[in-house]
Amino acid sequence: IANPRLTKRLTISVSGIEDGDLVISDARQKVTKTNSGYEYEVSVGETSSKTSVTLPITSAEYLPLQASAPFLEAKDPELTRLAAEICGKETNALAAAGRIKEWVHSHMTPDASIGVPRSALEINRKRKGVCRDYATFFAGIARAAGIPTRVTGGIVYQDGRFFYHAWVECWTGEWVPFDPTQPADFVDATHVKFAQGDVTDMFKVASIV
């Protein structure tokens, strides 16, 4: 893939997935079962802030993805203060999520030596890590800001091959992906998702990658 960060469409065959819960079809990726496994068709559309919902989001459907969870201390005063500082008076959910993505990317430092999972609070106190830490930190802040957010795990194409990767998705009227490890807002089609939900759901990808 010559320009993975610009790729808008991808078709890929994947084998070795035995857990059906790790086969996810949604508006961004369509999955078809084949004789050897699954075929994923990933297509990236355009997202506009004009179609975004307004904060606060109070629908009961999304309350669990605004709540605290293991590794995500969304109601802790430290994270709620940080979320308020980053988002300010922004009430457009997509714009607020974009602010959080930009802030996390610019305030984190890549560090592959950190091998153990850490919570959003722990990451805030030592802002270094890998994609898992970037995604966890983003999700903790975004939930503290009242934005329904799920952590996602899968693979991404980088340096000539696919690697394990973690990113996030926010509900802003539709599910919109954000990859805080990347400088650009565009989340390319080589992001193939196998898990979504809380941080513990992201860990399930380890069984197939």
Side-chain angles (χ1 to χ4, degrees):
I1 303 175
N3 297 297
R5 301 292 76 82
L6 300 178
T7 301
K8 294 184 178 181
R9 293 183 62 85
L10 174 75
T11 301
I12 179 173
S13 295
V14 182
S15 61
I17 304 177
E18 297 181 359
D19 184 351
D21 290 339
L22 298 180
V23 180
I24 300 172
S25 285
D26 57 20
R28 181 181 166 95
Q29 64 180 36
K30 306 297 182 184
V31 186
T32 305
K33 187 170 179 56
T34 66
N35 291 334
S36 59
Y38 297 93
E39 182 175 273
Y40 285 71
E41 293 187 10
V42 187
S43 179
V44 179
E46 297 295 328
T47 302
S48 172
S49 61
K50 294 180 180 179
T51 61
S52 176
V53 297
T54 300
L55 298 173
I57 298 171
T58 58
S59 172
E61 178 183 358
Y62 299 108
L63 291 180
L65 293 172
Q66 296 166 278
S68 294
F71 299 95
L72 299 174
E73 305 94 337
K75 303 306 179 184
D76 187 276
E78 184 176 324
L79 285 188
T80 56
R81 284 194 300 268
L82 181 58
E85 176 186 327
I86 296 169
C87 296
K89 296 182 179 180
E90 183 60 70
T91 59
N92 182 289
L94 181 63
R99 286 190 182 188
I100 296 169
K101 183 267 173 186
E102 182 179 355
W103 190 94
V104 170
H105 179 76
S106 62
H107 284 77
M108 285 283 286
T109 301
D111 186 347
S113 68
I114 300 176
V116 297
R118 296 177 296 147
S119 74
L121 269 180
E122 292 172 315
I123 297 166
N124 187 39
R125 295 164 186 170
K126 187 177 182 181
R127 296 172 182 168
K128 297 181 178 181
V130 293
C131 60
R132 173 193 63 232
D133 303 296
Y134 281 68
T136 299
F137 195 24
F138 180 112
I141 298 171
R143 288 192 180 191
I147 304 170
T149 303
R150 58 194 185 194
V151 182
T152 62
I155 53 176
V156 70
Y157 191 84
Q158 181 81 30
D159 299 327
R161 59 180 292 189
F162 280 94
F163 291 89
Y164 166 78
H165 194 52
W167 61 100
V168 301
E169 293 176 335
C170 294
W171 174 258
T172 65
E174 61 181 320
W175 284 109
V176 179
F178 292 88
D179 187 347
T181 64
Q182 301 289 342
D185 289 335
F186 179 73
V187 179
D188 63 79
T190 77
H191 289 68
V192 181
K193 179 174 61 176
F194 298 139
Q196 62 186 23
D198 294 330
V199 174
T200 51
D201 293 301
M202 175 181 64
F203 296 157
K204 297 175 183 178
V205 180
S207 67
I208 59 172
V209 176

